[in-house]
Amino acid sequence: MRETEAVLAAKHAIEICNACRYCEGYCAVFPAMELQRDFTLADMGYLANLCHNCNGCYHACQFAPPHEYGINLPKHFAEVRLESYAQFAWPQPLARAFERNGVVVAAVMALAITFVLLAVTLLVTPDVVFRPHLGPGAFYAVVSWGAMASVAGATLLFSIAALSVGAIRFWCATRSELTGPVTWRAVRRAATDIVTLRYLGGAGEGCNDADASFSLARRHAHHALAGGFALCFAATSVATVFDHFLGWVAPYGWFSLPVVLGTLGGISMITGCAGLMRVKLITDPAPVSRRVLGGDWALLALLLAAAVTGLGVLALRETSAMGVVMALHLGVILALFVLLPYGKFVHGVYRGAALLKAAVERDRHRPVA
Ligand code: SF4
Ligand code: SF4
C-alpha cells in the first residue's frame, strides 16, 4: 500500500491494538494481527480487507476518540480498503472511478440506460416497443437475443478479467513470509467463512449496527442480498439451458423454474438492500468514513434497481409497458456489469482473498482443530 494518511493512521492504531489485544476474538483481524510483531504498509491492505466493519472494536475501545490515541479501526480500515480498491484496480487509469464512486456509479447507470433506450428505439420501430408481445420469443421482438448476449457477454468477460487481475495483484502485494502454499483445508475454511458470513455473526450476537448494542440485522440483510443475487443468477442460467439446449424459448410460465427462481431472487435482493440501507441510516456516524459512503449507497441503489426492474419485466411482460421496462432493466444490468470491478462490489473479491490468506496463515502457524 502507498504511504497515505489513512494507511499510516491504520498502522499506528494496529500497533497499539497488538499491544492491547482486548478485542481479540471479535473478528478475523485480531488473530491475523497477533501472528505478527511488525507491520508493513502492505499488511494494512490485508488487515483492512479482513475487517467487515462491525464497529465492535470501536464501541469496546478505551482508546477511542476523544482519547488522545484516537483509535477508530472501522474508520481507518474503511479508508484503507477504499485506497486498496484503487491501488489494485486494472487497468490503472480506471482506478479514478473510486475517487467519487457514488457520482461515477450514478453517471454510468444513467449512460447505460440511455444507451439501451436509444439502441432499442433506433433498432426497432416505436410501434414494436410500445406494443404487447405474447408467446415464445416475445422479449426478443424488442431486443434480439444476439444483441443481448453479445453486449452482456463482452462486458461481463472484461469485468471478470479486471476483477481477476485485481485479486492477483492484491494477493501478490499482501503476501508475506507468513503466507505459505494454499491448501485445500485453507480453501475449505475460507469458503465456509464466506458462505456463512461467519464473522458478521460476531460472537453469536452480531454487529454494533446502531450503537454499542448488538444486532444480527446486518448479517440477515447481507444473506438475503447475496442469496437473492445467487437465485437470480441461477434463474438466468436455467433460462439459458431451456432456451438454447432444450429449445424452450422465453418467456416461461409463472410456475416455471426460471420464473420462480427469479421472483424469489428479486424479492430477496430487495429485502436485503432495504435491510442494509436501514442499517446505514441508523448507524452511529462516529466510526463511519464519509469517503466510502457514496460508493456504499451507490452499489445498494444499483442492486435495488436491478431487482425492481427485473421483477417489473416479469410483472408487465404481457402489457405494452414491457418493451420500455425491459430496456430499463437491461440498462441497469449493463451498468452493473461495467461497474463490477470499479465499485464496492470488489469488496467481495478482496475480502475473499484476505480470508483465504488468513486461513493459510492460521493453518501454517497454528494447529487447526
Ligand atoms: S480497538 Fe482498542 S480496545 Fe480493542 S484491541 Fe485495539 S486498542 Fe485495544
Ligand atoms: S470493526 Fe469489527 S471487523 Fe473491523 S476490526 Fe473492528 S472488530 Fe474487527
Side-chain angles (χ1 to χ4, degrees):
M1 297 291 304
R2 296 181 191 110
E3 191 179 289
T4 62
E5 206 176 303
V7 171
L8 290 177
K11 188 166 177 289
H12 170 71
I14 211 72
E15 281 162 356
I16 294 173
C17 289
N18 208 15
C20 166
R21 298 194 176 184
Y22 178 78
C23 297
E24 66 181 5
Y26 270 46
C27 68
V29 170
F30 292 90
M33 172 195 82
E34 288 168 12
L35 293 177
Q36 292 178 251
R37 283 203 187 150
D38 302 312
F39 298 95
T40 64
L41 300 182
D43 292 331
M44 292 307 109
Y46 162 52
L47 295 175
N49 279 287
L50 266 188
C51 167
H52 62 278
N53 218 23
C54 72
N55 295 339
C57 60
Y58 172 79
H59 288 291
C61 186
Q62 60 272 41
F63 304 123
H67 190 280
E68 61 181 307
Y69 288 178
I71 305 293
N72 191 339
L73 278 187
K75 190 171 180 179
H76 299 321
F77 278 160
E79 295 183 353
V80 175
R81 269 197 303 279
L82 184 67
E83 291 177 8
S84 72
Y85 302 160
Q87 188 167 329
F88 301 123
W90 178 85
Q92 258 302 293
L94 294 181
R96 294 196 64 189
F98 288 101
E99 280 172 21
R100 297 187 66 196
N101 198 246
V103 177
V104 170
V105 171
V108 170
M109 189 154 84
L111 280 174
I113 290 172
T114 309
F115 166 74
V116 176
L117 282 172
L118 268 179
V120 166
T121 45
L122 288 176
L123 293 175
V124 289
T125 60
D127 171 51
V128 174
V129 177
F130 295 107
R131 165 155 53 93
H133 298 273
L134 302 173
F139 297 140
Y140 306 139
V142 181
V143 181
S144 73
W145 181 84
M148 262 192 232
S150 52
V151 174
T155 318
L156 189 58
L157 278 178
F158 175 81
S159 291
I160 290 172
L163 285 172
S164 306
V165 173
I168 292 167
R169 283 180 164 176
F170 172 83
W171 185 268
C172 295
T174 58
R175 195 180 166 83
S176 67
E177 71 271 13
L178 289 171
T179 321
V182 176
T183 61
W184 276 115
R185 184 159 66 169
V187 170
R188 262 203 323 272
R189 193 178 184 130
T192 308
D193 290 349
I194 292 165
V195 172
T196 60
L197 298 178
R198 175 178 161 208
Y199 290 104
L200 263 72
E205 296 170 308
C207 303
N208 294 132
D209 290 339
D211 45 38
S213 62
F214 290 91
S215 157
L216 285 167
R218 190 158 164 249
R219 187 187 202 190
H220 292 156
H222 210 301
H223 267 307
L225 179 55
F229 192 83
L231 284 173
C232 291
F233 184 76
T236 309
S237 306
V238 172
T240 306
V241 172
F242 276 16
D243 203 325
H244 301 289
F245 294 100
L246 302 177
W248 302 341
V249 181
Y252 305 109
W254 291 106
F255 296 104
S256 63
L257 190 55
V259 173
V260 170
L261 288 173
T263 307
L264 291 177
I267 293 170
S268 187
M269 279 181 70
I270 292 172
T271 310
C273 287
L276 290 173
M277 287 175 169
R278 181 185 157 273
V279 167
K280 289 214 166 295
L281 289 173
I282 62 168
T283 295
D284 178 356
V288 176
S289 166
R290 292 180 67 82
R291 279 174 66 191
V292 305
L293 275 181
D296 288 4
W297 277 101
L299 179 66
L300 288 176
L302 191 55
L303 291 170
L304 186 63
V308 169
T309 53
L311 289 178
V313 173
L314 266 180
L316 301 171
R317 62 188 181 162
E318 290 173 3
T319 73
S320 56
M322 184 272 279
V324 173
V325 179
M326 192 172 77
L328 279 175
H329 181 59
L330 293 176
V332 173
I333 296 299
L334 178 61
L336 183 62
F337 285 0
V338 167
L339 290 163
L340 285 180
Y342 310 110
K344 177 72 189 291
F345 191 87
V346 296
H347 155 74
V349 175
Y350 295 148
R351 178 159 170 76
L355 282 168
L356 179 61
K357 177 171 149 68
V360 168
E361 293 183 1
R362 271 206 306 273
D363 218 3
R364 262 188 103 204
H365 300 278
R366 286 181 190 168
V368 180

